[in-house]
Each structure stands twice: as structure tokens, then as C-alpha cells.
Amino acid sequence: MQSFHFGDSFYQADSEGFLLDPAQWDQKFAEGMAGQAGITEDLSSDHWRVIYFIRNRFFETGKCPMVHELCRSLSLRLADLKRLFPSGYLRGACKLAGLTYREEEVHSSWLPKAHAAVGTKPMTERIYRTDIRGFMIDPSEWDREYATWKSREMKMPGDLTPRHWDIIEFLRTCFEKYGKVPTVYETCEANAIDIDELEALFPDGYHLGAVKIAGLRVR
């Protein structure tokens, strides 16, 4: 945990700069955190439109809206969102809104009311460690069987297709090479996929769907 100071206001944030208590949020928090999210100019009306959409939808539904939901509702292209929040949807827009995908569970007290591998242990004998939100704790434990069973657990329609595996393997390769999960922008650009196709592949969203199935998490 770390304290974040801007003007005469103090905020409690985690090590990544996410606000610990979304109820503490105000506009000063977003203004002070903007530089850490890669925004070099003052927040514009377009920034605030995104930020307030995220917060309003959270208080209406009890969870942070998914990126495709926001783009569709505000008639934004992914390129527009990248221009506004270059560090990513979660690490940029949601962070400035004082939220993450974790709030649904973490702050529940105040929310509104496949493929078989050869020579490996049988699936019935395997143990995969996950946190309370279902994200894998140790990415090195991941295998394709985990991805297959996780997708079924999440009730994704149909089996994982080659297109799903393109995204999953891209995420894994980037994480192994750079030690971090790529942003939704990087994933879409590298795989020549638009936000609508990504939604169709992973209906639960980028972080709660694709990233989770790939055995990764944004810390």
C-alpha cells in the first residue's frame, strides 16, 4: 500500500497506483494520477466522458464495465481510447476512475444490491492454484489443458478455436518475454483484431476472459 498525494488531498493506493477505496475518489485523484497513466496534457472533456461512464456504470451494475461495452456505448474506436489513455483501459481509464475489475469482489460490502497433452499427469490429478477471483497464482503452472477447462468453467460458447489460441499464446509469449501482460491495444494490434471480434471470442472481456484463460493477471 502507498499514499498518493495531489494538492491538499491524500489517497490510499496499492503498489500499482489503483485506489484502494473507490468511495474516496474525486476529480483531483484522476487529475493527479493522469501523468502516471501516460497522459501528458490536462484531462479533456473526452477523458471525463470515459471516466464518468466507467464510474456511473459501476454504481449501476456493481462491476467495472468491459472495454467493448464502453467503446460501443460511447461510439469510440479502440484507436480513440488508446489516444486518450495510452497506458491501457485497465491501467489508464479504469485507474483514473478509481476502479479495477477487482472491485466487484473486494468492495462487495458497499456495492449496490480439448487438448490432451502426452506424457503429463491426468487432468483428474492436476492442481492449479488460483486466487479468489479465479486468476492463476503462478503462471508457470499453466498449460493448454488448464486453458481448455477454464474456458468451460467460464461457460464460453463452444471449444477454443485457433483464433482463441492465437490470442492466448500471444499473451503467454509477451508475458514470458517482457514479464508483464500486454495492454488490450497491443493485443488487438499484434493480432489484427478489432474490439468486436475480441468480444465475440472472449465474452467475459479482455482481462476477465482472455488474460484469465491464459493463466495471467494484471497485478
Side-chain angles (χ1 to χ4, degrees):
M1 184 175 69
Q2 63 181 16
S3 294
F4 173 70
H5 172 263
F6 184 69
D8 57 358
S9 299
F10 290 85
Y11 307 90
Q12 293 299 316
D14 66 15
S15 60
E16 299 294 326
F18 287 97
L19 195 61
L20 290 179
D21 182 358
Q24 192 188 8
W25 183 89
D26 58 19
Q27 286 193 353
K28 287 184 179 179
F29 175 83
E31 291 168 353
M33 187 59 68
Q36 295 187 30
I39 300 171
T40 57
E41 70 275 8
D42 292 339
L43 294 178
S44 67
S45 58
D46 289 333
H47 288 105
W48 289 117
R49 190 164 70 107
V50 171
I51 290 169
Y52 274 106
F53 175 87
I54 293 171
R55 289 195 62 81
N56 292 339
R57 189 56 58 93
F58 175 73
F59 282 104
E60 290 170 2
T61 66
K63 59 184 179 181
C64 196
M66 290 183 283
V67 61
H68 58 74
E69 179 185 355
L70 179 140
C71 286
R72 182 180 299 116
S73 297
L74 298 183
S75 299
L76 291 175
R77 299 169 302 157
L78 202 61
D80 299 324
L81 197 62
K82 180 180 179 180
R83 174 180 54 79
L84 291 170
F85 299 96
S87 60
Y89 177 62
L90 175 63
R91 287 166 280 200
C94 295
K95 179 183 285 186
L96 265 60
L99 301 170
T100 77
Y101 61 83
R102 295 172 292 189
E103 262 66 56
E104 184 176 7
E105 294 83 10
V106 175
H107 296 283
S108 58
S109 61
W110 61 267
L111 288 175
K113 306 275 165 232
H115 164 87
V118 178
T120 57
K121 185 180 293 187
M123 281 298 300
T124 54
E125 298 178 17
R126 297 184 204 181
I127 296 175
Y128 302 97
R129 296 175 298 152
T130 63
D131 65 17
I132 194 170
R133 298 180 296 275
F135 287 89
M136 182 170 272
I137 293 173
D138 183 354
S140 69
E141 294 178 355
W142 182 90
D143 55 27
R144 290 172 64 95
E145 287 70 37
Y146 172 86
T148 299
W149 284 96
K150 177 59 72 173
S151 71
R152 293 177 181 175
E153 177 186 279
M154 294 165 62
K155 297 181 171 56
M156 286 179 58
D159 294 328
L160 294 177
T161 65
R163 193 61 168 145
H164 287 99
W165 288 115
D166 287 343
I167 303 297
I168 292 167
E169 290 169 359
F170 172 79
L171 292 172
R172 297 287 310 177
T173 298
C174 284
F175 182 80
E176 290 164 6
K177 186 173 182 180
Y178 301 110
K180 65 178 183 178
V181 176
T183 67
V184 65
Y185 313 140
E186 293 166 337
T187 298
C188 287
E189 289 170 0
N191 290 276
I193 184 174
D194 62 29
I195 197 65
D196 291 330
E197 185 181 355
L198 187 67
E199 176 194 3
L201 289 172
F202 299 98
D204 286 330
Y206 180 63
H207 292 94
L208 294 177
V211 172
K212 180 180 285 187
I213 290 170
L216 305 172
R217 57 179 173 166
V218 177
R219 299 176 184 277

